[in-house]
Amino acid sequence: MNSYVNEQNGIFPAVCPLDCPDQCGLLLHKVNGTVIKVEGDPNHPVTKGHICNKVRNMPARINDQNRLKYPMKRIGAKGSGKFEQISWTEALDTISNKWKTLIAEHGPETILPYSFYGNMGNLTSEGMGHAFFNALGASRLDRTICNSAGAKGYKYTMGASRGIDPEDTIHSKLFIFWGINAVSTNMHQILLAQKARKQGAKIIVIDVHKNQTGRLADWFIPIQPGTDSALALGMMHILFKENMVDYAFLEKFTVGHDELKKHVTQYDPKTVSEITGVPEDDLYKLSRLYGEISPSYIRIGNGLQHHDNGGMAVRTIACLPALTGQWLVKGGGAIKSNSGYLSYNSVVTQRPDLLENPNTRTINMNLLGQALLDLEPKIHSMYVYNSNPAIVAPNCNKVRAGLAREDLFLVVHDLFMTETAFFADIILPATSSFENMDFYASYWHHYIQIQKPVIEPHFEAKSNVEVFQLLAKEMGFTDPIFKESEETLIRKALDYQENPYIEHINFESLIEQNYQKCQSYTFDPGNLPTPSGKIELYSGAMAQAGLPPLPTYLPLKDDGDFPFKFIPAPNHNFINSTFANNEFHVELEKNPVAYINHVDALDRGIHDGDTVRIWNNRGACELKVKVGEDVLPSVIVTQGLWTHRGTQKHLVNALTPDRVADMGGGATFFSGRVNIEKI
């Protein structure tokens, strides 16, 4: 295996493994075999040496004395956190024997894998684990907790997860950051926008909270949660009415523009203002800026898709660049995700052919609590890796009740004793990304990168690939994939003729260059992978799926008789629960805070800094409150998933609904309602 493990001192290239669109190029400083410093790679064409605090402080995470060192088994009650060290042999024997028994008694679907993108390596997150559980015949997991609703909505309009090259946004004259706190979650797009601003570009932020991104904008537009599609439709109404659309572009490259023009007459400024909370004058100003400034660019965020109507919101916003012909202008257009340019041969790494039963059930990960408590046939075992559902999954009280079942055999493979691991029967120590080989593909910029091992595995920690291959041996699986090296798997994954954008990228070229960009391309809005080959303002596929074929505002679902809309947003120094166990990062964030409008605070006798109780019929949490004008009236915003272990006081996901969104089975974290009172 190509690695730097044997070199005890030096500076070595690396990749940020976190679930972030920027996927930075890194340089690791190693002394006596230990990484002591992480800095950005100044030669990376996009990230150019700039990294966030999360990654800069990565040595504290990978060298943390609290990292799991050995396999352990539970010796106390579920959730007590009482474990004892065992050998890998005992751990593998225990798991495989239990699974063989469960399969014999209840069938393989009694076992459920649960994973996401705690590590964005393609082999680690979407490789050997998928192949193993396909061979096992386990229940399939629909991994929809993050971007599936928006991806589906964008696909209905544009055909695939493809937008403009972010490097071209230095030419943009108008930036609209819509539902994305990019300072915290896409910092290099902010750097590009600031560079363009020096050349006269304007930055507009549309969001439910005046966060760090909102504060750096030239204009921040607060909006009522879940009304983004109405705002976009109101913009369309004005663009058509004031003749600011590019009819030549619409005629050549779109389907349904005549129908759309008639449709949006109902979304007049007065109606849209009442829905969104955006004043009519601001709606006119926004629409005219978008209609008159070119090139204009919309960065569509993850936040707005976490609603009951999230797929439609993204689908609607994705129509806007077509109205003004921005797709033909360098620096114009939009990005929701660019993962389509870097798609690889996932069939050879995931091996869906190993799943013998085509009718094997699929369980939506957003419905985990329901699945653990109510599903029949029952789930008797769960294997968790790259995720921490006890704190990140919606309706967490229900999830935790399911994890606490004495008859649930739970295995957790992680770097730390997570909230989920507290409920485990067997805990397995995991390697960090710098301890094994993998390859990475950004979902924002257009570069594939490779990670060579830089340090030895931590004590007895093992990678996902190695553990699943060991379990495959215990289960008697003989397919060659369960003996293939990471290098072989990467070679096969990159050999993918269906994606001409990466035909020049292979294992050798990545080893030599560390990162490579996909083939240059010309965005052709008349040759898209939609049914018509064009941008579909009217979507026949949506009509067939029982959805409105034209962009439409649909109100959020009833979530109980509670006065506040609740948005548990991310914070600056954590990624979900990652880093929430690190004292330095906790100190940077200080305390979990709830933001409310001063009008609501006055009505309830709440003052800045008070401790408040926020609750609904799913649960409750206690937080400090920050009073001001950063959110609109009737809105509460929190930031970050705070670990709690001994207390559930800060468990914001105790309040979130576990419904699924309108498209793609997506999560509805931001469509809950709550009440608030001073403690």
Side-chain angles (χ1 to χ4, degrees), residues 455-474:
I455 51 177
E456 294 281 0
H458 183 76
F459 287 79
E460 293 185 14
K462 296 184 185 297
S463 70
N464 286 353
V465 171
E466 184 178 4
V467 172
F468 285 123
Q469 289 184 333
L470 289 170
L471 284 170
K473 182 178 180 180
E474 294 290 324

Side-chain angles (χ1 to χ4, degrees), residues 135-160:
L136 192 70
S139 290
R140 291 179 285 188
L141 184 72
D142 199 6
R143 293 172 171 84
T144 56
I145 202 167
C146 183
N147 68 336
S148 59
K152 187 71 172 179
Y154 191 89
K155 185 176 180 180
Y156 276 130
T157 301
M158 300 298 296

Side-chain angles (χ1 to χ4, degrees), residues 596-607 627:
I596 66 171
N597 188 273
H598 65 92
V599 173
D600 298 317
L602 182 64
D603 287 345
R604 287 161 175 77
I606 296 172
H607 300 92
V627 177

Side-chain angles (χ1 to χ4, degrees), residues 7 18 39 80 102 122 156 198 208 243 246 318 331 352 426 428-429 461 537 545 552 652:
E7 299 180 45
L18 300 177
E39 64 178 350
S80 67
L102 288 175
N122 290 312
Y156 276 130
K198 292 178 181 178
V208 300
N243 199 31
D246 186 337
I426 298 290
L428 306 175
L537 307 176
T552 303
V652 294

Side-chain angles (χ1 to χ4, degrees), residues 324-598:
T324 57
Q326 289 302 306
W327 291 112
L328 296 183
V329 185
K330 194 176 187 67
I335 295 177
K336 169 63 179 72
S337 167
N338 271 332
S339 59
Y341 294 114
L342 301 179
S343 60
Y344 60 91
N345 191 348
S346 61
V347 170
V348 299
T349 59
Q350 298 181 10
R351 294 297 302 279
D353 59 296
L354 295 177
L355 183 64
E356 293 183 357
N357 178 10
N359 297 315
T360 297
R361 68 182 177 184
T362 298
I363 297 171
N364 187 308
M365 69 189 309
N366 296 307
L367 305 178
L368 179 61
Q370 298 179 37
L372 290 175
L373 294 177
D374 305 326
L375 191 65
E376 293 293 342
K378 183 178 287 189
I379 296 170
H380 287 281
S381 179
M382 190 162 75
Y383 186 101
V384 177
Y385 63 107
N386 284 3
S387 189
N388 185 12
I391 190 170
V392 304
N395 203 347
C396 255
N397 284 338
K398 184 178 285 188
V399 172
R400 293 168 65 86
L403 295 174
R405 281 175 36 206
E406 285 291 340
D407 63 338
L408 177 73
F409 179 68
L410 177 63
V411 182
V412 175
H413 185 204
D414 209 300
L415 280 75
F416 293 95
M417 178 66 73
T418 64
E419 286 73 16
T420 305
F422 262 57
F423 293 93
D425 296 279
I426 298 290
I427 299 175
L428 306 175
T431 54
S432 74
S433 65
F434 304 144
E435 295 161 36
N436 45 269
M437 175 172 282
D438 212 330
F439 76 111
Y440 294 76
S442 170
Y443 53 91
W444 172 65
H445 64 63
H446 293 177
Y447 290 81
I448 288 181
Q449 304 179 78
I450 196 162
Q451 176 67 64
K452 308 168 194 175
V454 177
I455 51 177
E456 294 281 0
H458 183 76
F459 287 79
E460 293 185 14
K462 296 184 185 297
S463 70
N464 286 353
V465 171
E466 184 178 4
V467 172
F468 285 123
Q469 289 184 333
L470 289 170
L471 284 170
K473 182 178 180 180
E474 294 290 324
M475 297 301 297
F477 301 159
T478 59
D479 192 275
I481 191 173
F482 298 117
K483 293 183 179 180
E484 290 176 340
S485 67
E486 289 94 336
E487 178 180 328
T488 298
L489 293 168
I490 294 171
R491 288 181 182 277
K492 288 184 175 182
L494 294 175
D495 184 11
Y496 191 43
Q497 295 182 359
E498 292 184 29
N499 182 8
Y501 296 124
I502 67 166
E503 62 184 4
H504 62 297
I505 301 176
N506 54 46
F507 182 80
E508 283 81 12
S509 62
L510 280 179
I511 289 291
E512 180 182 352
Q513 300 179 43
N514 298 315
Y515 40 77
Q516 284 185 274
K517 190 174 185 178
C518 69
Q519 292 277 18
S520 60
Y521 66 97
T522 299
F523 193 94
D524 184 358
N527 186 27
L528 300 177
T530 56
S532 65
K534 300 180 179 181
I535 298 170
E536 301 211 339
L537 307 176
Y538 179 99
S539 170
M542 293 182 72
Q544 292 177 5
L547 296 166
L550 289 165
T552 303
Y553 168 66
L554 301 172
L556 301 181
K557 294 182 179 179
D558 180 16
D559 194 58
D561 188 21
F562 300 97
F564 290 89
K565 300 169 185 174
F566 180 61
I567 310 294
N571 66 20
H572 191 68
N573 291 291
F574 308 165
I575 291 188
N576 295 317
S577 66
T578 302
F579 298 105
N581 66 325
N582 181 275
E583 291 183 8
F584 179 75
H585 289 266
V586 170
E587 288 178 6
L588 289 173
E589 285 293 330
K590 296 182 176 63
N591 292 295
V593 172
Y595 295 84
I596 66 171
N597 188 273
H598 65 92

Side-chain angles (χ1 to χ4, degrees), residues 15-20 23-24 26 55 58 117-121 432-434 440 451:
V15 188
C16 176
L18 300 177
D19 186 1
C20 170
Q23 202 165 93
C24 298
L26 306 177
V55 185
M58 190 71 82
Y117 293 115
N119 179 324
M120 287 294 290
S432 74
S433 65
F434 304 144
Y440 294 76
Q451 176 67 64

Side-chain angles (χ1 to χ4, degrees), residues 255-327:
V255 172
H257 63 276
D258 288 333
E259 294 94 328
L260 181 64
K261 182 178 181 179
K262 296 174 185 176
H263 176 69
V264 299
T265 57
Q266 63 188 295
Y267 296 101
D268 59 274
K270 183 176 185 297
T271 299
V272 169
S273 179
E274 291 173 352
I275 293 171
T276 63
V278 177
E280 289 185 53
D281 288 346
D282 286 354
L283 178 56
Y284 275 107
K285 178 182 176 182
L286 172 64
S287 303
R288 289 164 180 164
L289 285 172
Y290 188 72
E292 295 169 358
I293 297 177
S294 181
S296 61
Y297 162 64
I298 304 175
R299 179 67 172 97
I300 307 173
N302 271 354
L304 56 92
Q305 72 181 326
H306 289 157
H307 283 293
D308 296 307
N309 57 13
M312 181 63 83
V314 173
R315 182 271 197 279
T316 304
I317 296 167
C319 293
L320 283 169
L323 267 64
T324 57
Q326 289 302 306
W327 291 112

